[in-house]
Amino acid sequence: MRPLPFATPKPKWLAVAAVLAAGLIWLFWQESRRVLATPFTAWEKDAAADCAVVLTGGPNRVREGLDLLAQKQIKKLILSGVNPRSSLREIFPQLPYYGSISEDDVVLEKRSLTTYGNVQQTLALVEALKCRDLVVVTSRLHMYRAMQTFRGAFPTGFPLNEHSVFSGALEPEWDELATETLKSVFYSLWAY
């Protein structure tokens, strides 16, 4: 009885598959190293600019952006990726305790659903607000992909400052890192 043609792979296809798998593993590992290389800058340095954008979706981001505004380190704050049915007071109930903040200085961007969308919508708002520089506030794990996407969309030379915040454990769980690394690899193919 003769074996089925697909039952026994040919050795050269195994070698090609092994090389391809090794290459993908190496790419994934390199990208995860880039993702993890971002420090917690909110702890290390002050951020000052005309405007800041908070990429919503994680803990401590909105509070950090409002702290920058309350401390007068920025003039305008964009909260990007906000639920379309939410108000600023619903997003941040502690707002009355930030007496020095004018709600007119906070822009709720409610159209974007992804990091790419955050960047596109922020670019339009930065131009409308005439911002000369921008602080990007997001989590440490998300910062690499966010900054690469901002650099790919914003004009060359536009000052972008990282302000990564603590959003849970000091070191991410393996599944969080794997998910962010996979997103970063995907974004690197078309967004930056």
Side-chain angles (χ1 to χ4, degrees):
M1 182 173 184
R2 208 169 78 175
L4 296 174
F6 57 83
T8 309
K10 297 185 180 199
K12 76 176 185 179
W13 289 109
L14 279 177
V16 169
V19 168
L20 184 59
L24 289 173
I25 290 169
W26 181 82
L27 175 67
F28 197 81
W29 180 72
Q30 288 288 70
E31 197 70 12
S32 69
R33 289 183 59 208
R34 289 184 196 105
V35 168
L36 286 175
T38 303
F40 291 110
T41 54
W43 292 352
E44 297 174 357
K45 64 179 183 176
D46 288 333
D50 280 347
C51 302
V53 60
V54 171
L55 306 181
T56 60
N60 301 324
R61 297 178 191 184
V62 172
R63 181 200 45 79
E64 188 68 29
L66 288 166
D67 284 350
L68 291 173
L69 189 59
Q71 295 165 6
K72 309 242 184 278
Q73 292 178 311
I74 58 171
K75 297 173 188 166
K76 296 286 184 182
L77 176 64
I78 302 165
L79 299 180
S80 185
V82 172
N83 183 314
R85 295 179 300 276
S86 296
S87 70
L88 180 56
R89 290 186 186 258
E90 290 171 327
I91 295 166
F92 196 71
Q94 301 90 341
L95 188 63
Y97 300 105
Y98 283 68
S100 63
I101 291 180
S102 168
E103 289 189 44
D104 294 337
D105 293 332
V106 181
V107 178
L108 301 182
E109 185 282 303
K110 298 180 176 186
R111 298 180 73 186
S112 60
L113 300 172
T114 64
T115 301
Y116 183 78
N118 292 143
V119 172
Q120 295 303 311
Q121 296 299 320
T122 298
L123 177 57
L125 289 169
V126 162
E127 290 170 348
L129 295 169
K130 298 183 181 358
C131 303
R132 293 173 292 162
D133 47 5
L134 183 70
V135 174
V136 178
V137 180
T138 190
S139 68
R140 171 187 172 226
L141 195 61
H142 184 227
M143 185 59 78
Y144 173 76
R145 178 167 53 101
M147 289 304 291
Q148 292 297 98
T149 307
F150 270 97
R151 288 182 186 117
F154 271 59
T156 304
F158 187 89
L160 296 165
N161 305 305
E162 297 179 15
H163 198 71
S164 56
V165 299
F166 180 75
S167 63
L170 285 174
E171 293 301 323
E173 297 291 329
W174 70 270
D175 57 331
E176 293 171 322
L177 177 59
T179 300
E180 182 58 34
T181 300
L182 188 61
K183 288 178 181 180
S184 186
V185 168
F186 175 70
Y187 267 58
S188 72
L189 297 174
W190 62 277
Y192 48 85

